Amino acid sequence: MGGVILPDLGAEILVPVCAIIGIVFSLIQWLFVSKVKLVPGATSFLFTEYQYVGIFMVAFAILIFLFLGSVEGFSTKTQPCTYDPLKTCKPALATAVFSTVSFLLGAFTSVVSGFLGMKIATYANARTTLEARKGVGKAFITAFRSGAVMGFLLAANGLLVLFIAINLFKLYYGDDWAGLFEAITGYGLGGSSMALFGRVGGGIYTKAADVGADLVGKLERNIPEDDPRNPAVIADNVGDNVGDIAGMGSDLFGSYAESSCAALVVASISSFGINHELTPMLYPLIISSVGILVCLLTTLFATDFFEIKAVREIEPALKKQLIISTVLMTVGIAIVSWIALPSSFTIFNFGTQKVVKSWQLFLCVAVGLWAGLIIGFVTEYYTSNAYSPVQDVADSCRTGAATNVIFGLALGYKSVIIPIFAIAVSIFVSFSFAAMYGIAVAALGMLSTIATGLAIDAYGPISDNAGGIAEMAGMSHRIRERTDALDAAGNTTAAIGKGFAIGSAALVSLALFGAFVSRASISTVDVLTPKVFIGLIVGAMLPYWFSAMTMKSVGSAALKMVEEVRRQFNSIPGLMEGTTKPDYATCVKISTDASIKEMIPPGALVMLTPLIVGIFFGVETLSGVLAGSLVSGVQIAISASNTGGAWDNAKKYIEAGASEHARALGPKGSDAHKAAVIGDTIGDPLKDTSGPSLNILIKLMAVESLVFAPFFATHGGLLFKIF
């Protein structure tokens, strides 16, 4: 088999040290941002949301304990191990207790990640606006550093908490590694269930305000975006932090936690776990540790090594971040694979052990990493107004909103093609080399540069709000132009971030699906059996049902918002003249109430489906549901995100008037511009509510099925048992 160069103690030291370096680096970036002096909403919404989510968290934790404990009738006797009947493993009750603890741990870490991200963003918004007075370069560095604080805090926190949990659980489990890593899967479930509520609740909040502000302010009253006379403007700015920052932070944390858990579960029943080789066992965590160091280096390229002097340098600088981090990470993965893996080993592959070489595992991680980059660049091509697809959409606004909508939808559907091929190739390569473990580490490869990805993603909403603050504070036109340039680049990078999130979700949920099939002791999933096929077709329908719920929620909340904004403009004297202030609080309340009430049905759909299917129809039908939702969910998520992003940037293309073509369509307030605003408004719930929430749907159903697999395998399929 060949030995491992990195000793176990080395691995035990490397992971927490890298995590702590990440946390320290994020605090240093925070210090830099806080040097921008400020002259002396969002938190209250999150607190309200977290109260409701907290109740759910406790209820679901009890459910996990009861379901998993009942597998062996709450017995405390040791049982023969699933994968080696000659050995004895810890009782099922222990799995129930520790799964519940790791679920609560994951949920708590996810909530903290989202909350910290949002605090950092609100802290950075006004500072970015102030720096824009000195020039676009200074403003860019402030916004980017603030994004980096969030990226590094989240990546390092997720890694550190997972590492500490594994070591604490090991005190009880001892040599029973299969049981230990089975219990750790609850960590991913906790992370993703919080992300779902953060994404859906935050998405409904921000888009209700955005649509209301745009429809009345821009189209009816002809006032600029973020004008302080618009009653919905505060709710809109608060929403950017809640949906884009807190939601995105929890979402990517969930992906990261789940891909680590999926890899660890498969590794624990492979030669690493059977022979108790700690360093190769921690290979997924070591990759993430090296990822933090690589992203740290990459960030310095944006903030310290090169200075941005002109507006046109912003987008290339952000793209360079992606390329530099991917190239450096490829080298990092090669080194890790060389020092942390034996030259050959075996990986569990549906009941058999497959012999794998260390270089094959390196290729699995690398293919995931580069697939992420390809998805990022394709997303950028279809959503940036520097390229022809968005310019064509902008051009279609000449003949009104209808043609704009047709062109935008076509662009979204077309943008699915290359990402799906990239995901398909990475699945084929990684599965051929290392079975389901290969897919799990490919997902980790895609997420290994999560700190840079999040920094780029959080940069978008921070710049957007900086522009809003500049407009509301009545700052000069020049400052608004600078913040708009930052925001346009931020829109594209937000789309790239969503592309990463969706691509990694596809790989993660497939890896979790593999772990579920192994844990539920299914040898093959045969599509031709009616049990599986009905699951497949119902699973493919779920993303549509979920999208319908979230779109309708945004629509009904926006309806109330539009009516309220109209009422204020019509009934408050002096509002249009700017002599009296609007009632911002009522609009914030409409958004808050709508999002808290409306996030529950979509959340219940996702959380209850695996439980209902598993209990009544059994594990085969559930495996069909998971496969169906994965296949259709990825397509809808990519097209929805890119359609919305393209419409938004087509509008910005006309507003900026940077080229002859754009000036011919403009200026603000022209018929073409109004058509573009309508497109942007339709795209808002697509790109910020339904699209991003779908990747959580496919991951969450898979990880939930994995956690409850022993219960479904023992007591599931009640209907088929009756008939």
Side-chain angles (χ1 to χ4, degrees), residues 30 33 114-128 143 146-147 149-150 240-242 244-246 458-459 461-463 465-466 469:
W30 171 278
V33 175
F115 184 72
L116 285 177
M118 204 207 65
K119 288 304 267 183
I120 292 155
T122 48
Y123 185 79
N125 297 338
R127 286 172 165 79
T128 304
S146 314
V149 176
M150 177 184 172
D240 284 338
N241 294 319
V242 171
D244 293 346
I245 301 260
Y459 156 88
I462 290 170
S463 308
N465 273 355
I469 291 166

mmCIF file of all heavy atoms in Angstrom, residues 30 33 114-128 143 146-147 149-150 240-242 244-246 458-459 461-463 465-466 469:
data_model
loop_
_atom_site.group_PDB
_atom_site.id
_atom_site.type_symbol
_atom_site.label_atom_id
_atom_site.label_comp_id
_atom_site.label_asym_id
_atom_site.label_seq_id
_atom_site.Cartn_x
_atom_site.Cartn_y
_atom_site.Cartn_z
ATOM 1 N N TRP A 30 -10.238 43.084 8.570
ATOM 2 C CA TRP A 30 -11.252 43.862 9.310
ATOM 3 C C TRP A 30 -10.634 45.136 9.867
ATOM 4 O O TRP A 30 -11.220 46.211 9.811
ATOM 5 C CB TRP A 30 -11.797 42.971 10.428
ATOM 6 C CG TRP A 30 -12.679 43.670 11.419
ATOM 7 C CD1 TRP A 30 -12.295 44.412 12.493
ATOM 8 C CD2 TRP A 30 -14.103 43.695 11.427
ATOM 9 N NE1 TRP A 30 -13.388 44.878 13.179
ATOM 10 C CE2 TRP A 30 -14.511 44.460 12.546
ATOM 11 C CE3 TRP A 30 -15.081 43.146 10.615
ATOM 12 C CZ2 TRP A 30 -15.855 44.676 12.862
ATOM 13 C CZ3 TRP A 30 -16.413 43.364 10.928
ATOM 14 C CH2 TRP A 30 -16.787 44.127 12.032
ATOM 15 N N VAL A 33 -10.229 47.722 7.184
ATOM 16 C CA VAL A 33 -11.503 48.354 6.822
ATOM 17 C C VAL A 33 -11.925 49.351 7.902
ATOM 18 O O VAL A 33 -12.395 50.444 7.614
ATOM 19 C CB VAL A 33 -12.610 47.277 6.623
ATOM 20 C CG1 VAL A 33 -13.959 47.923 6.378
ATOM 21 C CG2 VAL A 33 -12.251 46.364 5.464
ATOM 22 N N GLY A 114 -23.695 33.291 8.819
ATOM 23 C CA GLY A 114 -24.555 34.260 8.133
ATOM 24 C C GLY A 114 -24.603 35.582 8.872
ATOM 25 O O GLY A 114 -24.503 36.657 8.275
ATOM 26 N N PHE A 115 -24.720 35.504 10.187
ATOM 27 C CA PHE A 115 -24.853 36.717 10.999
ATOM 28 C C PHE A 115 -23.577 37.558 10.948
ATOM 29 O O PHE A 115 -23.623 38.773 10.750
ATOM 30 C CB PHE A 115 -25.184 36.336 12.448
ATOM 31 C CG PHE A 115 -25.440 37.520 13.325
ATOM 32 C CD1 PHE A 115 -26.608 38.244 13.178
ATOM 33 C CD2 PHE A 115 -24.512 37.934 14.270
ATOM 34 C CE1 PHE A 115 -26.853 39.361 13.981
ATOM 35 C CE2 PHE A 115 -24.745 39.044 15.068
ATOM 36 C CZ PHE A 115 -25.921 39.750 14.923
ATOM 37 N N LEU A 116 -22.416 36.903 11.098
ATOM 38 C CA LEU A 116 -21.139 37.639 11.051
ATOM 39 C C LEU A 116 -20.946 38.300 9.694
ATOM 40 O O LEU A 116 -20.543 39.455 9.595
ATOM 41 C CB LEU A 116 -19.966 36.691 11.323
ATOM 42 C CG LEU A 116 -19.770 36.249 12.780
ATOM 43 C CD1 LEU A 116 -18.615 35.270 12.878
ATOM 44 C CD2 LEU A 116 -19.498 37.442 13.691
ATOM 45 N N GLY A 117 -21.266 37.533 8.642
ATOM 46 C CA GLY A 117 -21.139 38.083 7.284
ATOM 47 C C GLY A 117 -21.953 39.345 7.122
ATOM 48 O O GLY A 117 -21.498 40.338 6.552
ATOM 49 N N MET A 118 -23.171 39.312 7.661
ATOM 50 C CA MET A 118 -24.042 40.466 7.505
ATOM 51 C C MET A 118 -23.575 41.660 8.331
ATOM 52 O O MET A 118 -23.636 42.801 7.885
ATOM 53 C CB MET A 118 -25.451 40.072 7.907
ATOM 54 C CG MET A 118 -26.478 40.943 7.276
ATOM 55 S SD MET A 118 -27.893 40.986 8.286
ATOM 56 C CE MET A 118 -27.254 41.788 9.714
ATOM 57 N N LYS A 119 -23.064 41.386 9.529
ATOM 58 C CA LYS A 119 -22.531 42.484 10.355
ATOM 59 C C LYS A 119 -21.365 43.165 9.644
ATOM 60 O O LYS A 119 -21.243 44.388 9.633
ATOM 61 C CB LYS A 119 -22.037 41.944 11.713
ATOM 62 C CG LYS A 119 -23.129 41.517 12.662
ATOM 63 C CD LYS A 119 -24.124 42.596 12.954
ATOM 64 C CE LYS A 119 -23.839 43.416 14.177
ATOM 65 N NZ LYS A 119 -24.913 44.400 14.416
ATOM 66 N N ILE A 120 -20.497 42.331 9.032
ATOM 67 C CA ILE A 120 -19.332 42.873 8.319
ATOM 68 C C ILE A 120 -19.791 43.730 7.146
ATOM 69 O O ILE A 120 -19.267 44.811 6.896
ATOM 70 C CB ILE A 120 -18.428 41.719 7.829
ATOM 71 C CG1 ILE A 120 -17.785 41.015 9.029
ATOM 72 C CG2 ILE A 120 -17.352 42.212 6.872
ATOM 73 C CD1 ILE A 120 -17.391 39.578 8.765
ATOM 74 N N ALA A 121 -20.818 43.233 6.420
ATOM 75 C CA ALA A 121 -21.297 43.967 5.239
ATOM 76 C C ALA A 121 -21.887 45.315 5.630
ATOM 77 O O ALA A 121 -21.573 46.340 5.009
ATOM 78 C CB ALA A 121 -22.337 43.130 4.509
ATOM 79 N N THR A 122 -22.716 45.337 6.679
ATOM 80 C CA THR A 122 -23.330 46.615 7.076
ATOM 81 C C THR A 122 -22.243 47.580 7.564
ATOM 82 O O THR A 122 -22.330 48.779 7.368
ATOM 83 C CB THR A 122 -24.395 46.422 8.186
ATOM 84 O OG1 THR A 122 -23.835 45.595 9.204
ATOM 85 C CG2 THR A 122 -25.625 45.747 7.654
ATOM 86 N N TYR A 123 -21.217 47.008 8.161
ATOM 87 C CA TYR A 123 -20.087 47.806 8.659
ATOM 88 C C TYR A 123 -19.317 48.424 7.487
ATOM 89 O O TYR A 123 -18.807 49.535 7.567
ATOM 90 C CB TYR A 123 -19.184 46.847 9.441
ATOM 91 C CG TYR A 123 -18.010 47.479 10.157
ATOM 92 C CD1 TYR A 123 -18.185 48.128 11.375
ATOM 93 C CD2 TYR A 123 -16.718 47.383 9.637
ATOM 94 C CE1 TYR A 123 -17.110 48.672 12.054
ATOM 95 C CE2 TYR A 123 -15.644 47.929 10.305
ATOM 96 C CZ TYR A 123 -15.839 48.578 11.519
ATOM 97 O OH TYR A 123 -14.773 49.109 12.187
ATOM 98 N N ALA A 124 -19.261 47.673 6.363
ATOM 99 C CA ALA A 124 -18.399 48.093 5.245
ATOM 100 C C ALA A 124 -19.094 49.011 4.241
ATOM 101 O O ALA A 124 -18.430 49.745 3.513
ATOM 102 C CB ALA A 124 -17.890 46.849 4.514
ATOM 103 N N ASN A 125 -20.437 48.965 4.200
ATOM 104 C CA ASN A 125 -21.158 49.719 3.155
ATOM 105 C C ASN A 125 -20.771 51.195 3.113
ATOM 106 O O ASN A 125 -20.327 51.717 2.090
ATOM 107 C CB ASN A 125 -22.679 49.642 3.391
ATOM 108 C CG ASN A 125 -23.201 48.234 3.283
ATOM 109 O OD1 ASN A 125 -22.564 47.400 2.654
ATOM 110 N ND2 ASN A 125 -24.327 47.961 3.888
ATOM 111 N N ALA A 126 -20.960 51.856 4.259
ATOM 112 C CA ALA A 126 -20.736 53.307 4.298
ATOM 113 C C ALA A 126 -19.257 53.628 4.116
ATOM 114 O O ALA A 126 -18.892 54.647 3.514
ATOM 115 C CB ALA A 126 -21.238 53.869 5.622
ATOM 116 N N ARG A 127 -18.390 52.748 4.618
ATOM 117 C CA ARG A 127 -16.945 52.995 4.471
ATOM 118 C C ARG A 127 -16.529 52.939 2.995
ATOM 119 O O ARG A 127 -15.662 53.681 2.564
ATOM 120 C CB ARG A 127 -16.159 51.975 5.304
ATOM 121 C CG ARG A 127 -16.251 52.279 6.792
ATOM 122 C CD ARG A 127 -15.648 51.198 7.657
ATOM 123 N NE ARG A 127 -15.434 51.689 9.025
ATOM 124 C CZ ARG A 127 -16.369 51.784 9.932
ATOM 125 N NH1 ARG A 127 -17.608 51.434 9.626
ATOM 126 N NH2 ARG A 127 -16.113 52.243 11.137
ATOM 127 N N THR A 128 -17.165 52.030 2.241
ATOM 128 C CA THR A 128 -16.869 51.951 0.799
ATOM 129 C C THR A 128 -17.308 53.244 0.113
ATOM 130 O O THR A 128 -16.594 53.776 -0.742
ATOM 131 C CB THR A 128 -17.603 50.736 0.179
ATOM 132 O OG1 THR A 128 -17.220 49.563 0.903
ATOM 133 C CG2 THR A 128 -17.240 50.554 -1.279
ATOM 134 N N ALA A 143 -14.215 47.483 -0.294
ATOM 135 C CA ALA A 143 -15.305 46.522 -0.518
ATOM 136 C C ALA A 143 -14.757 45.097 -0.579
ATOM 137 O O ALA A 143 -15.328 44.168 -0.004
ATOM 138 C CB ALA A 143 -16.040 46.860 -1.808
ATOM 139 N N SER A 146 -13.616 43.740 2.822
ATOM 140 C CA SER A 146 -14.764 43.383 3.660
ATOM 141 C C SER A 146 -15.308 42.024 3.243
ATOM 142 O O SER A 146 -15.683 41.208 4.084
ATOM 143 C CB SER A 146 -15.869 44.424 3.522
ATOM 144 O OG SER A 146 -15.305 45.704 3.603
ATOM 145 N N GLY A 147 -15.348 41.785 1.919
ATOM 146 C CA GLY A 147 -15.775 40.476 1.425
ATOM 147 C C GLY A 147 -14.832 39.389 1.907
ATOM 148 O O GLY A 147 -15.263 38.293 2.288
ATOM 149 N N VAL A 149 -13.071 39.354 4.645
ATOM 150 C CA VAL A 149 -13.290 39.068 6.074
ATOM 151 C C VAL A 149 -14.325 37.951 6.193
ATOM 152 O O VAL A 149 -14.135 36.960 6.893
ATOM 153 C CB VAL A 149 -13.810 40.325 6.823
ATOM 154 C CG1 VAL A 149 -14.132 39.987 8.270
ATOM 155 C CG2 VAL A 149 -12.774 41.441 6.772
ATOM 156 N N MET A 150 -15.417 38.107 5.442
ATOM 157 C CA MET A 150 -16.478 37.109 5.511
ATOM 158 C C MET A 150 -16.011 35.758 4.972
ATOM 159 O O MET A 150 -16.238 34.712 5.579
ATOM 160 C CB MET A 150 -17.669 37.597 4.706
ATOM 161 C CG MET A 150 -18.769 36.574 4.694
ATOM 162 S SD MET A 150 -20.108 37.105 3.663
ATOM 163 C CE MET A 150 -21.084 35.637 3.679
ATOM 164 N N ASP A 240 -30.505 43.545 0.778
ATOM 165 C CA ASP A 240 -29.263 43.094 0.127
ATOM 166 C C ASP A 240 -28.371 42.367 1.119
ATOM 167 O O ASP A 240 -27.751 41.351 0.795
ATOM 168 C CB ASP A 240 -28.495 44.295 -0.458
ATOM 169 C CG ASP A 240 -29.149 44.798 -1.742
ATOM 170 O OD1 ASP A 240 -29.867 44.006 -2.365
ATOM 171 O OD2 ASP A 240 -28.948 45.965 -2.102
ATOM 172 N N ASN A 241 -28.306 42.900 2.338
ATOM 173 C CA ASN A 241 -27.460 42.262 3.358
ATOM 174 C C ASN A 241 -28.049 40.931 3.817
ATOM 175 O O ASN A 241 -27.347 39.945 3.972
ATOM 176 C CB ASN A 241 -27.316 43.175 4.577
ATOM 177 C CG ASN A 241 -26.559 44.427 4.233
ATOM 178 O OD1 ASN A 241 -25.588 44.379 3.513
ATOM 179 N ND2 ASN A 241 -27.024 45.559 4.718
ATOM 180 N N VAL A 242 -29.369 40.930 4.011
ATOM 181 C CA VAL A 242 -30.020 39.737 4.554
ATOM 182 C C VAL A 242 -29.986 38.587 3.548
ATOM 183 O O VAL A 242 -29.613 37.471 3.868
ATOM 184 C CB VAL A 242 -31.480 40.070 4.935
ATOM 185 C CG1 VAL A 242 -32.238 38.813 5.289
ATOM 186 C CG2 VAL A 242 -31.513 41.041 6.100
ATOM 187 N N ASP A 244 -28.446 38.430 0.171
ATOM 188 C CA ASP A 244 -27.231 38.123 -0.583
ATOM 189 C C ASP A 244 -26.070 37.735 0.316
ATOM 190 O O ASP A 244 -25.258 36.895 -0.050
ATOM 191 C CB ASP A 244 -26.819 39.332 -1.446
ATOM 192 C CG ASP A 244 -27.833 39.595 -2.549
ATOM 193 O OD1 ASP A 244 -28.656 38.700 -2.775
ATOM 194 O OD2 ASP A 244 -27.819 40.665 -3.161
ATOM 195 N N ILE A 245 -25.966 38.365 1.480
ATOM 196 C CA ILE A 245 -24.782 38.090 2.317
ATOM 197 C C ILE A 245 -25.054 36.972 3.312
ATOM 198 O O ILE A 245 -24.406 35.931 3.278
ATOM 199 C CB ILE A 245 -24.355 39.373 3.076
ATOM 200 C CG1 ILE A 245 -24.028 40.477 2.080
ATOM 201 C CG2 ILE A 245 -23.189 39.080 3.988
ATOM 202 C CD1 ILE A 245 -22.599 40.708 1.777
ATOM 203 N N ALA A 246 -26.052 37.156 4.184
ATOM 204 C CA ALA A 246 -26.313 36.130 5.205
ATOM 205 C C ALA A 246 -26.732 34.819 4.539
ATOM 206 O O ALA A 246 -26.260 33.739 4.909
ATOM 207 C CB ALA A 246 -27.392 36.616 6.165
ATOM 208 N N ALA A 458 -19.412 38.437 -1.818
ATOM 209 C CA ALA A 458 -19.893 39.423 -0.837
ATOM 210 C C ALA A 458 -19.565 40.845 -1.292
ATOM 211 O O ALA A 458 -20.250 41.799 -0.920
ATOM 212 C CB ALA A 458 -19.258 39.150 0.523
ATOM 213 N N TYR A 459 -18.525 40.965 -2.131
ATOM 214 C CA TYR A 459 -18.138 42.274 -2.659
ATOM 215 C C TYR A 459 -19.308 42.941 -3.404
ATOM 216 O O TYR A 459 -19.485 44.152 -3.345
ATOM 217 C CB TYR A 459 -16.920 42.067 -3.592
ATOM 218 C CG TYR A 459 -16.733 43.128 -4.637
ATOM 219 C CD1 TYR A 459 -15.990 44.264 -4.350
ATOM 220 C CD2 TYR A 459 -17.307 43.013 -5.897
ATOM 221 C CE1 TYR A 459 -15.838 45.250 -5.305
ATOM 222 C CE2 TYR A 459 -17.160 43.991 -6.848
ATOM 223 C CZ TYR A 459 -16.428 45.109 -6.556
ATOM 224 O OH TYR A 459 -16.282 46.093 -7.491
ATOM 225 N N PRO A 461 -22.921 42.797 -3.120
ATOM 226 C CA PRO A 461 -23.914 43.527 -2.318
ATOM 227 C C PRO A 461 -23.317 44.708 -1.547
ATOM 228 O O PRO A 461 -23.993 45.716 -1.339
ATOM 229 C CB PRO A 461 -24.424 42.464 -1.333
ATOM 230 C CG PRO A 461 -24.074 41.160 -1.940
ATOM 231 C CD PRO A 461 -22.890 41.369 -2.806
ATOM 232 N N ILE A 462 -22.045 44.587 -1.127
ATOM 233 C CA ILE A 462 -21.414 45.705 -0.401
ATOM 234 C C ILE A 462 -21.316 46.925 -1.328
ATOM 235 O O ILE A 462 -21.651 48.048 -0.951
ATOM 236 C CB ILE A 462 -20.018 45.293 0.137
ATOM 237 C CG1 ILE A 462 -20.179 44.274 1.273
ATOM 238 C CG2 ILE A 462 -19.236 46.517 0.629
ATOM 239 C CD1 ILE A 462 -18.891 43.612 1.723
ATOM 240 N N SER A 463 -20.893 46.684 -2.589
ATOM 241 C CA SER A 463 -20.793 47.789 -3.558
ATOM 242 C C SER A 463 -22.170 48.350 -3.883
ATOM 243 O O SER A 463 -22.346 49.566 -4.033
ATOM 244 C CB SER A 463 -20.160 47.301 -4.863
ATOM 245 O OG SER A 463 -18.967 46.645 -4.602
ATOM 246 N N ASN A 465 -24.835 48.451 -1.994
ATOM 247 C CA ASN A 465 -25.310 49.297 -0.901
ATOM 248 C C ASN A 465 -24.511 50.580 -0.766
ATOM 249 O O ASN A 465 -25.036 51.605 -0.338
ATOM 250 C CB ASN A 465 -25.270 48.523 0.420
ATOM 251 C CG ASN A 465 -26.547 47.738 0.624
ATOM 252 O OD1 ASN A 465 -27.471 47.856 -0.178
ATOM 253 N ND2 ASN A 465 -26.602 46.952 1.667
ATOM 254 N N ALA A 466 -23.219 50.513 -1.139
ATOM 255 C CA ALA A 466 -22.405 51.742 -1.111
ATOM 256 C C ALA A 466 -23.011 52.766 -2.071
ATOM 257 O O ALA A 466 -23.103 53.964 -1.759
ATOM 258 C CB ALA A 466 -20.967 51.423 -1.507
ATOM 259 N N ILE A 469 -26.150 54.226 -0.532
ATOM 260 C CA ILE A 469 -25.834 55.228 0.498
ATOM 261 C C ILE A 469 -25.413 56.548 -0.154
ATOM 262 O O ILE A 469 -25.808 57.633 0.280
ATOM 263 C CB ILE A 469 -24.738 54.691 1.455
ATOM 264 C CG1 ILE A 469 -25.314 53.543 2.296
ATOM 265 C CG2 ILE A 469 -24.192 55.791 2.364
ATOM 266 C CD1 ILE A 469 -24.291 52.716 3.033
#
